[in-house]
Amino acid sequence: MSIIQKIEEAFKNVTGLQLVGAGIVLEIRAWQGSPLVEIDLHLPTVDMGEWTGLMKITFLISDCCFRDFIPFGWDTDTATCSLLINAAQDTVSDRWVNSLHNGDQVRYIKILAAPEKLHPNNLIVGLGDSSHLSCLLALQHLTTPASRFDGAVCFDSGQTRELFRRYFNTPLNTVGNRDELINWLAAQHYCIDHTSFYLGGSPCLVVDIKELLKNQGHRNIHAWSVGLSA
């Protein structure tokens, strides 16, 4: 019995859950001077044509520990997707990320769609902080045409902010902190009847954004669950 099979058997015995798939690490890109790491994966048995919303992949990251990550981009033809993970803390998931190499196999137990659905016609506005970059970028990926997407994200780190601007072609406005994001949002004057907002970030930030939007008369407001983060 291989090591992977032993892990699968131990995992099933402890949790009652069955591992359902495997992927291959194609490339890992650590952001210099930033805690963020990009990981490109090939998931050969997954039909990404069915990914019509934000997706959550539950990975096995140690013998009996698993963690959810949100792919921020994917390609149906090649069955590849990309993750953007903050690997700064000394946790089990961070150690897992930092241990990966090109060609490694990763295992997962499920892939589920987030409950928040995109409005088919409204302007889609994503708002949040850098803990939810994957969610915001996935939101952009899902929104067609591209002109129907707008938003802003605040960063604690100036270096991460500059790298984000350099690496991604996105209409997301980048600001330095929560107050700048709130001030930016207050000046936008989005149409009340034809704009849908999707929020992710710290609980305090989400509460502040909701309060501002409701005071402006907006009602099409959706907040991602705490578990949906980069």
Side-chain angles (χ1 to χ4, degrees):
M1 181 180 292
S2 69
I3 293 175
I4 289 294
Q5 289 173 324
K6 291 179 180 178
I7 291 174
E8 289 179 345
E9 188 65 26
F11 182 79
K12 184 178 180 181
N13 290 339
V14 172
T15 67
L17 299 172
Q18 178 68 52
L19 293 170
V20 297
I24 300 296
V25 176
L26 299 177
E27 186 175 359
I28 300 173
R29 296 178 296 279
W31 290 21
Q32 187 173 5
S34 168
L36 295 182
V37 177
E38 284 183 72
I39 301 175
D40 293 338
L41 296 176
H42 176 47
L43 305 179
T45 63
V46 177
D47 181 5
M48 296 179 186
E50 298 180 352
W51 289 12
T52 58
L54 266 70
M55 307 304 295
K56 179 172 65 174
I57 307 177
T58 303
F59 289 98
L60 175 70
I61 62 173
S62 68
D63 288 0
C64 292
C65 181
F66 49 92
R67 169 72 191 275
D68 297 332
F69 293 110
I70 310 300
F72 68 81
W74 53 91
D75 181 82
T76 300
D77 292 337
T78 61
T80 58
C81 66
S82 298
L83 309 176
L84 187 59
I85 301 172
N86 187 320
Q89 306 299 318
D90 186 23
T91 65
V92 174
S93 59
D94 299 328
R95 290 193 291 273
W96 175 74
V97 171
N98 290 321
S99 73
L100 292 176
H101 299 88
N102 294 354
D104 282 354
Q105 186 181 71
V106 293
R107 310 290 286 181
Y108 60 90
I109 61 170
K110 59 184 177 180
I111 302 177
L112 297 176
E116 294 81 13
K117 302 298 182 183
L118 268 65
H119 194 284
N121 302 309
N122 281 0
L123 176 68
I124 303 297
V125 178
L127 301 166
D129 61 29
S130 56
S131 70
H132 279 64
L133 285 179
S134 289
C135 295
L136 294 169
L137 289 169
L139 191 66
Q140 176 185 342
H141 184 91
L142 290 163
T143 304
T144 56
S147 59
R148 202 163 61 90
F149 180 74
D150 196 15
V153 56
C154 62
F155 290 84
D156 294 330
S157 164
Q159 173 71 0
T160 299
R161 179 183 178 186
E162 290 305 313
L163 291 174
F164 180 78
R165 286 173 167 173
R166 186 187 309 170
Y167 294 157
F168 290 98
N169 179 19
T170 174
L172 285 168
N173 295 269
T174 60
V175 297
N177 55 52
R178 165 202 163 279
D179 290 339
E180 288 183 22
L181 190 151
I182 294 297
N183 291 336
W184 176 88
L185 180 59
Q188 298 311 300
H189 306 294
Y190 288 115
C191 174
I192 291 176
D193 294 329
H194 301 291
T195 306
S196 294
F197 297 91
Y198 297 83
L199 318 180
S202 71
C204 291
L205 176 63
V206 171
V207 168
D208 289 344
I209 295 174
K210 279 185 176 180
E211 181 178 3
L212 171 59
L213 292 174
K214 289 180 179 179
N215 287 340
Q216 292 178 333
H218 292 285
R219 294 295 179 266
N220 295 319
I221 305 169
H222 310 271
W224 291 308
S225 63
V226 175
L228 292 182
S229 59

